[in-house]
Amino acid sequence: MTADTALLDRVVQAGTAPDAEIFAVVEDAGLGAVVGVLVEEILFRCDAPINVMPVDIALDVTHESERHRTVFRMVRDRPIAILDGEEPVIRRELRMNVVDLVRRLYGRADHPRTGDFHDAFLPTRPADLTELPEIFASTNQASGALLSGCTVPRIDLGALSVAYGSDKWASFHWYTAHYEKEFAPYRDRPVRILEIGIGGFSGELGGSSLKMWKRYFHRGTVFGLDLFDKSELNQPRLTALTGDQGDTDGLVALAREHGPFDIVIDDGSHENEHVRVSFEALFPYVRSGGLYVIEDLQTSYFPRFGGTADKVAGSKTSVGLVKSLLDDLHHREHATYPGHPTSVTEESVVGVRVYRNVAFIEKGVNGEDGIPRWMDDEAWIALGAIPPSAD
Ligand SMILES: C[S@@+](CC[C@H](N)C(=O)[O-])C[C@H]1O[C@@H](n2cnc3c(N)ncnc32)[C@H](O)[C@@H]1O
């Protein structure tokens, strides 16, 4: 872990910790370094500015008697610039305590969006009053864009998927509605998430879904794995790793270095053999309480992906794997129980939820007991029940 990553990690963790932890991070790293982390996050989250006239907005972050100023230049069709040296024309000054800004960015999704900052709107009289209508409108639009980056975004995963160019919604897949339902309990947590398959194959950089997850999991650390080098995507809270999902040793090494993960998503080659190899290598590195997701189950029926050309998917397919997990979930009810050593999946699969073409496998402690084996007719009758063997 580099110094930058370690600081980011501490700031993210502090988002839901007592104020004293945020103070401690600022004391250790310095206000400027902490603001640097926060500003990078704001730039990632901001909506694109729509103002035609350039607008400079100052954000003052304070801690006790200290103040750290960042000036953002916002204008349509250009990346937001941080002014350094150039003389700004400040149209708005926002002042916020570092604790409040950390909470806004890395606190709970329902953290308030108002009542925690000082604002000076058009602090100086514009030189040319004929421009005033345009200055008003542009300052309003630029401020809206900047403030969109200073909160946990309200997210429609489908819209975000389309905006970033992922095929997880409104293409030939309709996954994001399922993701919203399944991922909601994890959204506020500092999750570690690994997605196999970054996108773009050998020709393009890809990264659409990784950026989508980074936005959705505002406290999350996102890893992607792809056959092709996509490290150009690397940025705070997002790392692109290179490797083959069919290589067990490589996957285990990756998981030892970067795991355990709260969520693993397989959106890689969709070859049935790869899906199985990846699951067997990585499921042990999913945290208890976490999820393993397999996309594109339809390849179970496509022979060129190693699927079966039949109505019933074979045991070596992805659907076959998911069906076997249903058996493992119920292993205590097997006639052979408890006479055989239990497998990782028997011990830890606690939920298997399948939607069209996508499966969510929940990990936990599969330890609930069933009906005692010694329950015979006499015992059922003693309970006042009809014995199962009775006609
Ligand atoms: C469907 S794309 C992923 C799309 C991305 N998850 C998204 O939603 O934007 C599949 C990616 O898997 C990668 N891939 C194919 N075979 C792989 C393998 N054996 N190991 C790792 N990645 C692989 C491809 O290079 C490609 O970039």
Side-chain angles (χ1 to χ4, degrees), residues 166 168 195 197 199 201 209 226-228 243-245 267-269 274:
S166 169
K168 293 193 194 303
E195 180 162 20
F201 298 85
S209 54
D226 206 284
L227 267 185
F228 303 99
D244 183 347
Q245 74 168 125
D267 184 21
S269 71
H274 283 169

Side-chain angles (χ1 to χ4, degrees), residues 167-186:
D167 65 3
K168 293 193 194 303
W169 182 249
S171 63
F172 31 81
H173 301 310
W174 298 95
Y175 296 147
T176 57
H178 306 308
Y179 276 122
E180 280 188 354
K181 189 160 83 175
E182 293 285 342
F183 284 180
Y186 302 87

Side-chain angles (χ1 to χ4, degrees), residues 101-120:
L101 188 53
V102 168
R103 297 240 183 273
R104 269 176 167 256
L105 292 169
Y106 300 119
R108 310 239 172 258
D110 58 0
H111 189 78
R113 287 153 194 260
T114 185
D116 59 355
F117 61 90
H118 295 267
D119 174 35

Side-chain angles (χ1 to χ4, degrees), residues 84-130:
D84 187 13
E86 198 177 330
E87 196 54 42
V89 181
I90 303 290
R91 299 292 190 207
R92 174 158 240 150
E93 282 171 350
L94 297 167
R95 177 158 48 91
M96 203 177 289
N97 186 287
V98 68
V99 171
D100 290 322
L101 188 53
V102 168
R103 297 240 183 273
R104 269 176 167 256
L105 292 169
Y106 300 119
R108 310 239 172 258
D110 58 0
H111 189 78
R113 287 153 194 260
T114 185
D116 59 355
F117 61 90
H118 295 267
D119 174 35
F121 180 60
L122 300 181
T124 50
R125 193 174 199 271
D128 180 359
L129 288 186
T130 62

Side-chain angles (χ1 to χ4, degrees), residues 14-315:
T16 53
D19 289 2
E21 177 52 24
I22 301 178
F23 294 149
V25 180
V26 175
E27 300 297 331
D28 292 349
L31 183 62
V34 172
V35 171
V37 166
L38 302 178
V39 165
E40 269 213 73
E41 187 70 44
I42 291 170
L43 291 175
F44 175 74
R45 291 190 196 182
C46 271
D47 292 341
I50 56 169
N51 49 297
V52 177
M53 176 183 271
V55 172
D56 296 343
I57 302 179
L59 174 66
D60 292 325
V61 182
T62 61
H63 173 59
E64 297 177 341
S65 60
E66 226 186 316
R67 186 188 76 153
H68 193 284
R69 169 164 284 206
T70 308
V71 179
F72 300 83
R73 175 158 295 171
M74 329 262 302
V75 65
R76 176 189 286 184
D77 295 335
R78 288 211 212 125
I80 299 171
I82 303 295
L83 293 195
D84 187 13
E86 198 177 330
E87 196 54 42
V89 181
I90 303 290
R91 299 292 190 207
R92 174 158 240 150
E93 282 171 350
L94 297 167
R95 177 158 48 91
M96 203 177 289
N97 186 287
V98 68
V99 171
D100 290 322
L101 188 53
V102 168
R103 297 240 183 273
R104 269 176 167 256
L105 292 169
Y106 300 119
R108 310 239 172 258
D110 58 0
H111 189 78
R113 287 153 194 260
T114 185
D116 59 355
F117 61 90
H118 295 267
D119 174 35
F121 180 60
L122 300 181
T124 50
R125 193 174 199 271
D128 180 359
L129 288 186
T130 62
E131 290 188 326
L132 199 53
E134 183 57 37
I135 291 172
F136 258 75
S138 289
T139 303
N140 177 214
Q141 290 165 341
S143 306
L146 183 63
L147 284 167
S148 73
C150 296
T151 56
V152 175
R154 294 192 179 98
I155 283 187
D156 171 341
L157 259 188
L160 202 58
S161 169
V162 172
Y164 276 127
S166 169
D167 65 3
K168 293 193 194 303
W169 182 249
S171 63
F172 31 81
H173 301 310
W174 298 95
Y175 296 147
T176 57
H178 306 308
Y179 276 122
E180 280 188 354
K181 189 160 83 175
E182 293 285 342
F183 284 180
Y186 302 87
R187 179 141 194 239
D188 270 347
R189 301 188 203 162
V191 290
R192 292 177 86 75
I193 169 167
L194 168 69
E195 180 162 20
I196 303 169
I198 295 177
F201 298 85
S202 60
E204 286 171 28
L205 190 56
S208 304
S209 54
L210 299 188
K211 291 179 196 156
M212 177 174 97
W213 300 132
K214 178 176 165 180
R215 268 183 97 102
Y216 181 78
F217 294 111
H218 59 279
R219 307 180 71 210
T221 303
V222 179
F223 297 91
L225 173 71
D226 206 284
L227 267 185
F228 303 99
D229 179 8
K230 313 259 176 196
S231 55
E232 257 183 76
L233 287 167
N234 289 358
Q235 55 189 271
R237 303 201 292 114
L238 192 163
T239 305
L241 307 166
T242 310
D244 183 347
Q245 74 168 125
D247 167 16
T248 300
D249 293 345
L251 293 176
V252 169
L254 166 169
R256 287 213 173 116
E257 186 177 351
H258 301 289
F261 302 104
D262 299 275
I263 294 171
V264 173
I265 300 168
D266 184 346
D267 184 21
S269 71
H270 305 303
E271 286 187 31
N272 287 269
E273 172 66 11
H274 283 169
V275 172
R276 177 176 294 275
V277 166
S278 301
F279 179 81
E280 284 170 0
L282 294 175
F283 190 69
Y285 294 92
V286 173
R287 279 210 182 98
S288 190
L291 290 175
Y292 193 103
V293 187
I294 304 174
E295 287 191 7
D296 288 20
L297 295 175
Q298 73 277 8
T299 62
S300 299
Y301 308 95
F302 299 168
R304 71 188 179 88
F305 284 80
T308 34
D310 198 344
K311 278 165 75 172
V312 180
S315 62

